[in-house]
Amino acid sequence: MQVVYERCAAIDAHQKTAVTTIAITQANGHLQKETRTFTTMTSDLLRLDDWLQEQGVTVVAMESTGVFWHPIFNLLEEGREIILVNAQHMKAVPGRKTDVKDSEWLADLLRHGLLQASFIPPKPTRELRELTRYRKTQVQERNQEVNRLQKVLEGANLKLAVVATDVLGKSGRDMLDAVVAGEQDAETLAALARGRLRAKLSDLRLALDGRVQPHHRFLLQRILAHIDFLDQSIAQVEQEIEQRSHPFEEAVELVVTITGLQATTAAGILAEIGIDMTRFPSDKHLASWAGVVRCITHLSIPGAARRNSKGGSWVNGLP
């Protein structure tokens, strides 16, 4: 079998260790292998970096196991090619029972050019991705708190959501703060309505005639405080995203020309797919990477959602 890389290395990455095998094809065709185990502490990974440099290795393969490859990639990225491999793309090998064998097998596959590399965007894109994904997590957490708020209101017989479109709007928030402060009179609470909501005063009086208990007030206070904290945190993260998006300003301007997309959403899209479209052989590859292909399949083929519900995950695609 043809040897593609005469000097290469493969790393079996774990939380605590990085088992590394270097494969060197000598001039006479003989294969020389050496395996060493390093911890994933920075000082030990720097020793791994030095070892690879001493052996003249400029191509390294790793499986994309969770987030354990991140610290290794961070320290080995500069000056060499890192091939990140989706574990699903590797064929199972009977008898592989140790990390050393995993590392050796990966090195053999790399040596012969049999690995399919995953797309790893440049560092600025990866940094932006961490921020946009964190913002998404916080937005989801805020939505969960809003749902908890609604449950507490229902438990207290407060039907504010039936009358007010947004219970956390200015009027709704004033009413909730008054409830937390101990106000129970429905007419007094309804009088806090502003703007167009004042046209619904009679409905508000009925909706705010509740049975609020002390534990309801406590829960409402804590939930509202948490929502306030999340609002502030999301705003700060969005400011950081805006600053990190400056290198992609031209691309952001192009993306927001799509109807319904704003700058924050555009930054999230670019953080996932990058700006170099040559990475993707076709539009179908890009759609698959972004996780759009499954949604389209579900819409176009009856029963596809059921058949694909346990399909393979996109290790490097959108979460």
Side-chain angles (χ1 to χ4, degrees):
M1 190 178 295
Q2 180 184 2
V3 174
V4 177
Y5 300 108
E6 295 183 351
R7 289 178 174 269
C8 61
I11 302 174
D12 188 41
H14 298 273
Q15 183 178 21
K16 295 182 179 180
T17 60
V19 182
T20 306
T21 295
I22 288 182
I24 299 176
T25 305
Q26 299 177 343
N28 59 3
H30 179 70
L31 174 61
Q32 176 184 345
K33 285 184 180 179
E34 183 178 359
T35 301
R36 296 184 184 180
T37 299
F38 299 83
T39 71
T40 52
M41 300 299 178
T42 299
S43 58
D44 224 20
L45 291 179
L46 290 175
R47 289 200 308 111
L48 169 57
D49 183 36
D50 291 339
W51 184 45
L52 295 176
Q53 290 184 21
E54 292 170 1
Q55 299 299 321
V57 172
T58 57
V59 181
V60 179
M62 284 193 298
E63 288 188 32
S64 56
T65 50
V67 297
F68 299 147
W69 61 273
H70 288 185
I72 304 172
F73 185 90
N74 290 340
L75 295 179
L76 301 186
E77 174 184 15
E78 187 175 354
R80 59 177 61 91
E81 179 184 359
I82 307 292
I83 297 178
L84 188 66
V85 184
N86 186 336
Q88 294 179 355
H89 295 163
M90 294 179 60
K91 293 182 179 179
V93 181
R96 285 201 300 157
K97 299 183 183 299
T98 67
D99 297 336
V100 171
K101 288 185 178 180
D102 285 346
S103 177
E104 291 179 348
W105 171 247
L106 192 59
D108 285 337
L109 293 177
L110 174 61
R111 178 169 171 257
H112 295 294
L114 298 176
L115 294 178
Q116 181 180 352
S118 297
F119 165 51
I120 306 176
K123 187 175 181 180
T125 305
R126 299 199 305 269
E127 292 175 348
L128 181 61
R129 178 185 291 181
E130 288 188 49
L131 291 169
T132 57
R133 289 185 176 182
Y134 181 58
R135 177 190 175 277
K136 177 183 176 181
T137 299
Q138 290 205 307
V139 169
Q140 290 173 339
E141 188 174 351
R142 185 187 186 278
N143 291 337
Q144 291 173 351
E145 282 294 81
V146 173
N147 290 336
R148 293 189 185 99
L149 174 68
Q150 181 56 32
K151 289 181 179 180
V152 174
L153 292 177
E154 290 289 338
N157 290 82
L158 295 174
K159 308 294 290 187
L160 180 59
V162 174
V163 183
T165 304
D166 182 8
V167 297
L168 289 175
K170 292 182 179 179
S171 298
R173 185 57 191 264
D174 286 346
M175 296 172 191
L176 293 176
D177 287 340
V179 170
V180 170
E183 183 60 61
Q184 298 190 58
D185 183 67
E187 186 168 353
T188 302
L189 292 172
L192 297 173
R194 306 183 189 183
R196 288 179 295 181
L197 196 57
R198 293 197 63 82
K200 302 179 181 180
L201 286 178
S202 58
D203 292 335
L204 281 173
R205 295 188 191 100
L206 295 174
L208 294 170
D209 182 15
R211 297 296 182 267
V212 183
Q213 302 301 316
H215 77 283
H216 291 139
R217 293 193 185 90
F218 175 81
L219 289 173
L220 289 173
Q221 181 186 39
R222 300 317 311 153
I223 292 173
L224 290 172
H226 194 195
I227 290 175
D228 289 341
F229 166 78
L230 290 171
D231 284 338
Q232 183 181 10
S233 181
I234 291 171
Q236 292 174 345
V237 173
E238 288 178 345
Q239 289 179 358
E240 186 68 18
I241 290 173
E242 183 180 359
Q243 294 179 4
R244 297 282 181 171
S245 298
H246 288 323
F248 312 98
E249 187 172 354
E250 183 178 354
V252 170
E253 291 178 357
L254 289 174
V255 174
V256 295
T257 59
I258 301 174
T259 304
L261 294 188
Q262 299 178 348
T264 302
T265 306
I269 293 174
L270 295 173
E272 296 297 336
I273 67 176
I275 59 176
D276 182 9
M277 294 299 100
T278 62
R279 298 274 190 171
F280 306 99
S282 69
D283 56 339
K284 293 181 180 180
H285 285 81
L286 174 58
S288 177
W289 169 272
V292 179
V293 64
R294 180 177 292 186
C295 299
I296 295 175
T297 302
H298 288 180
L299 291 174
S300 59
I301 303 176
R306 181 174 62 256
R307 292 196 300 271
N308 293 331
S309 63
K310 295 184 180 179
S313 61
W314 296 295
V315 173
N316 300 298
L318 291 174

